[in-house]
Amino acid sequence: MSQRRLQIGMWNAFSEENMERFGSDAIGGIEICQYRDHESLGYTNKVCKEKGLSFGIHTPVFGGQPYRLPRITSIDRAEREEALRRVECEVRTAAEYGADYILFHYPFVPIFPLKTKQVFSNMPKPGERYDHDQIGAAQLRDISLELFDTLCELQHRYGQRIVLEHDFWGEHEGLLTMMFREHPEIGLVVDTSRLDISARAFHHVEPMRWLEAAAPYVYLVHYSNVRYEPDRFIHHLPVLPEHDDDNRFGDAYAYLACLAQRNDRFHVTFEHHASLIDRHRLLELYARTERLLKPSLKESNPA
């Protein structure tokens, strides 16, 4: 089995205190986002080399402004072209500092389907999303093909791995899977919370079906859970054993297990608020995840 990597988030700046508090021997990398400036990125690169850590970048690279993802599948060509100029700038920066990957969201703008079971109050609002009648299948396909061709060219030109985290895909599950199948050099990032929210909110979203189809293309999993309330959800929660059979929570552990059976190469970022649990429970979570990713150890180390 290829060597997997477990990572923790380290947004805004590298923090020795947070490495001490949330790190462990199991952690081999960090995922960074919204850093202050080039000096901060250079320091992070230096420390990671000293500690033997890898780091990936979740766009936007730099902070200092409202959190905003590039609208790479906008139906407005000018907006899309501006987004792709920003993508190239960020890919160049990631390559300059030796990032293992740089991550963008796709599709972005997120898409809602025609039929919904429940739209939670903290999901993207009109203006932050497209509804089903705002972007057609043929239009999204054309935009996606242009996007993936551009990303493949940028990846080759800068020698920088580019990965895409799925956002809400509306009624375009098949297209999304096809794009990664036909462009395997662009890695897929699975977000266990967003996948579960999609299944709760929309009809016809079957997470296990999609994971089985998409598993070969997964480079990274963003691992966290969701707790549902009547009209909203709380996300980025640590994935705990007591969630497994509790309908108030998502099925993050089952999703990771499904992927682990079908792909032995992907890495995992714990995209959770680690401060919600004490260090003992955090280390138990890391160990449980390691066991899940190493099936040969499961019998002697039951989860």
Side-chain angles (χ1 to χ4, degrees):
M1 184 175 71
S2 302
Q3 182 65 43
R4 297 187 191 270
R5 185 171 67 247
L6 301 183
Q7 304 184 150
I8 59 175
M10 191 74 71
W11 285 32
N12 305 127
F14 187 89
S15 167
E16 292 281 1
E17 179 184 353
N18 285 346
M19 278 304 301
E20 183 70 23
R21 186 178 176 192
F22 304 126
S24 81
D25 291 342
I27 300 301
I30 62 173
E31 185 169 290
I32 72 174
C33 180
Q34 290 191 296
Y35 272 40
R36 183 177 60 253
D37 49 30
H38 283 275
E39 183 180 356
S40 180
L41 269 182
Y43 176 75
T44 299
N45 187 21
K46 173 178 175 289
V47 172
C48 284
K49 287 180 177 177
E50 291 171 352
K51 294 180 178 292
L53 298 172
S54 296
F55 75 94
I57 298 175
H58 188 305
T59 194
V61 177
F62 294 115
Q65 56 188 350
Y67 180 79
R68 185 174 63 89
L69 295 168
R71 293 163 68 95
I72 56 177
T73 56
S74 171
I75 58 176
D76 181 277
R77 176 166 286 278
E79 185 174 57
R80 198 163 68 244
E81 289 175 349
E82 187 279 329
L84 289 174
R85 285 192 291 271
R86 180 178 156 195
V87 165
E88 180 172 1
C89 181
E90 298 209 326
V91 168
R92 185 187 307 120
T93 299
E96 179 183 350
Y97 289 97
D100 177 64
Y101 62 84
I102 184 163
L103 179 158
F104 303 93
H105 278 218
Y106 165 78
F108 203 85
V109 182
I111 305 169
F112 279 19
L114 170 61
K115 295 182 178 181
T116 61
K117 291 185 283 189
Q118 178 175 6
V119 175
F120 298 99
S121 62
N122 49 337
M123 292 181 79
K125 306 291 189 295
E128 302 170 341
R129 71 185 196 229
Y130 289 144
D131 290 322
H132 73 283
D133 56 352
Q134 292 180 274
I135 183 167
Q139 185 178 24
L140 180 61
R141 181 180 182 278
D142 290 346
I143 289 171
S144 296
L145 287 169
E146 182 179 310
L147 169 66
F148 274 71
D149 285 347
T150 299
L151 295 180
C152 288
E153 193 276 327
L154 290 174
Q155 184 167 257
H156 177 73
R157 188 195 317 169
Y158 291 103
Q160 174 60 57
R161 180 182 287 111
I162 298 172
V163 299
L164 296 178
E165 175 181 346
H166 69 90
D167 215 294
F168 297 113
W169 59 61
E171 296 163 355
H172 306 286
E173 175 185 317
L175 172 63
L176 188 131
T177 307
M178 182 194 77
M179 294 307 301
F180 288 98
R181 183 173 64 246
E182 295 188 356
H183 302 84
E185 59 270 53
I186 302 297
L188 169 62
V189 181
V190 170
D191 185 293
T192 57
S193 284
R194 187 175 294 108
L195 182 59
D196 201 84
I197 293 163
S198 298
R200 295 272 185 141
F202 307 134
H203 295 282
H204 310 306
V205 176
E206 297 180 18
M208 294 303 186
R209 176 189 65 195
W210 180 68
L211 291 173
E212 289 178 8
Y217 320 115
V218 176
Y219 183 76
L220 178 70
V221 173
H222 275 176
Y223 191 45
S224 68
N225 222 344
V226 193
R227 186 179 76 244
Y228 295 96
E229 298 184 351
D231 70 335
R232 66 192 304 269
F233 54 80
I234 311 298
H235 60 148
H236 294 155
L237 301 178
V239 183
L240 302 177
E242 56 264 33
H243 297 171
D244 294 352
D245 299 312
D246 188 333
N247 193 51
R248 294 173 301 170
F249 293 89
D251 293 325
Y253 183 80
Y255 301 152
L256 191 64
C258 175
L259 286 173
Q261 292 168 4
R262 293 165 175 80
N263 177 332
D264 65 0
R265 300 176 307 280
F266 67 82
H267 310 298
V268 175
T269 293
F270 294 98
E271 197 185 41
H272 60 206
H273 297 301
S275 59
L276 292 173
I277 55 177
D278 63 32
R279 181 161 178 82
H280 176 71
R281 296 221 73 191
L282 184 64
L283 295 180
E284 284 185 335
L285 191 165
Y286 294 162
R288 187 178 189 233
T289 305
E290 283 189 301
R291 291 194 297 271
L292 184 62
L293 298 177
K294 297 177 180 176
S296 61
L297 299 183
K298 289 172 71 175
E299 185 172 342
S300 56
N301 297 288

